Amino acid sequence: MITIALPDQHMHDRLTAQLPEVNLIVWGANDGPPPQQVDLAVLGYLGSACELAAYEGMDVRALQSQSLGYDGVSDQLPTAITYCNAVGVHEASTAELAVGMIISEQRGFPEHFANQQTGTWNQHEQPGVAGTTIVIVGAGGVGNQIADALAIFEANVVRVARTNRSDARGAIQSMDALPALLAKADVVALAVPLTEATTGLVDAEFLAAMKPGALLVNVSRGKVVHTDALVAAASAGQVRAALDVTDPEPLPRDHPLRSTRGITITPHIGGYTSAMHGRVDAVVREQARRLLAGEPLAHVVIEAR
């Protein structure tokens, strides 16, 4: 029998009847050494990569994240442990938030909400989404779902990734084409993983290349955007921004991002919806099936060494 450690009693209660052939325990590294060898330990959702070091020397074969991103993991993960990310859990919800942000900003919801508080009735034209050009930087699960959703609103969607290629959705432009695309884009949505290549991707030069008044939406990682450069560009009226992620994070109460006109912030809630629980459970069930069948784990980001 295999042993899977779960981070809380709620997940244990949900999965007990679904995995009768698995020994399920509630355990994490903060509880001290596990009571027995753990074949797979599911991490808590809002944990930090720096917490992975606590698993050093623990009798754990693999860790299953509840998150899609894995920045910083390779620096902290003990070498004897395999790490898997949560593919298929948060893509739809994160895309949902990105599209909601785009619609909200393009239809002037922040302004209308402020006017509601003051009793102001102010009708004027807004840019909207239909007929606009929206550049999505990132053609993975989140980026593709953003593209699919925006197609319904008759936007001109252009996807950009590392290489120029095509897939079932059509053409994908390479990063080399980005500067020219920025000048035409009404909205630029960021849906890339945080890597050495994407850290600081949106800098002063990037923002200056954007169409005046264009909207930047970030649902990837805060460090993809150079914060000071964004504050300067938004303060000058060059761009607007809707951010689910920031650098730093959590964002201090008095940080300039909070008070800069034209910037809307949500507190990194892209995938944090009730939909995630059933999807995480499905990931754990599939990993259990693989372990019982002697098959490799799915969505391995880093192999044990």
Side-chain angles (χ1 to χ4, degrees):
M1 180 176 281
I2 63 169
T3 295
I4 295 181
L6 304 174
D8 59 67
Q9 190 64 44
H10 295 296
M11 187 181 293
H12 184 278
D13 292 344
R14 293 197 307 267
L15 287 170
T16 295
Q18 301 175 44
L19 294 172
E21 69 278 36
V22 176
N23 178 37
L24 298 176
I25 63 173
V26 177
W27 174 84
N30 290 336
D31 299 323
Q36 62 217 73
Q37 183 188 62
V38 173
D39 297 282
L40 182 73
V42 181
L43 299 170
Y45 176 48
L46 294 177
S48 168
C50 63
E51 297 172 8
L52 298 177
Y55 286 87
E56 182 69 55
M58 299 286 189
D59 197 3
V60 177
R61 292 174 54 195
L63 295 175
Q64 173 64 59
S65 174
Q66 294 190 56
S67 297
L68 186 61
Y70 48 87
D71 41 289
V73 170
S74 60
D75 297 329
Q76 302 292 334
L77 183 71
T79 58
I81 298 178
T82 293
Y83 182 92
C84 307
N85 69 335
V87 174
V89 173
H90 302 295
E91 290 89 335
S93 295
T94 303
E96 170 187 285
L97 180 67
V99 173
M101 284 178 152
I102 291 170
I103 294 172
S104 174
E105 298 296 325
Q106 291 296 99
R107 295 305 303 267
F109 285 9
E111 175 190 344
H112 298 319
F113 177 74
N115 287 340
Q116 179 183 343
Q117 310 312 303
T118 60
T120 302
W121 188 268
N122 183 13
Q123 293 176 309
H124 60 91
E125 184 176 282
Q126 298 284 352
V129 175
T132 61
T133 295
I134 300 178
V135 171
I136 303 172
V137 184
V142 175
N144 286 338
Q145 293 212 31
I146 295 172
D148 290 346
L150 290 171
I152 298 172
F153 301 108
E154 301 179 14
N156 173 32
V157 178
V158 182
R159 291 177 298 151
V160 178
R162 285 176 297 176
T163 58
N164 185 15
R165 61 186 188 274
S166 295
D167 62 12
R169 292 175 173 84
I172 301 173
Q173 304 295 316
S174 72
M175 294 295 285
D176 293 339
L178 190 55
L181 292 171
L182 292 176
K184 302 175 182 178
D186 300 289
V187 179
V188 178
L190 306 174
V192 293
L194 183 65
T195 65
E196 189 173 324
T198 62
T199 298
L201 171 68
V202 181
D203 56 11
E205 182 179 1
F206 183 110
L207 294 164
M210 288 177 62
K211 184 177 180 179
L215 174 67
L216 177 74
V217 175
N218 189 8
V219 292
S220 55
R221 286 294 186 265
K223 290 182 182 295
V224 172
V225 177
H226 190 288
T227 299
D228 291 346
L230 177 58
V231 169
S235 297
Q238 169 65 22
V239 299
R240 299 171 291 136
L243 312 173
D244 184 49
V245 288
T246 60
D247 178 30
E249 195 173 297
L251 196 64
R253 292 174 62 93
D254 59 349
H255 195 281
L257 272 177
R258 291 189 181 273
S259 56
T260 300
R261 188 178 179 210
I263 294 181
T264 300
I265 300 169
T266 54
H268 201 154
I269 55 170
Y272 206 7
T273 73
S274 56
M276 70 172 285
H277 304 300
R279 297 181 182 206
V280 169
D281 291 353
V283 168
V284 177
R285 290 197 304 272
E286 173 59 15
Q287 298 291 44
R289 185 197 69 77
R290 287 170 174 264
L291 288 169
L292 290 167
E295 298 176 7
L297 291 168
H299 311 304
V300 172
V301 175
I302 302 173
E303 289 273 11
R305 304 184 294 284

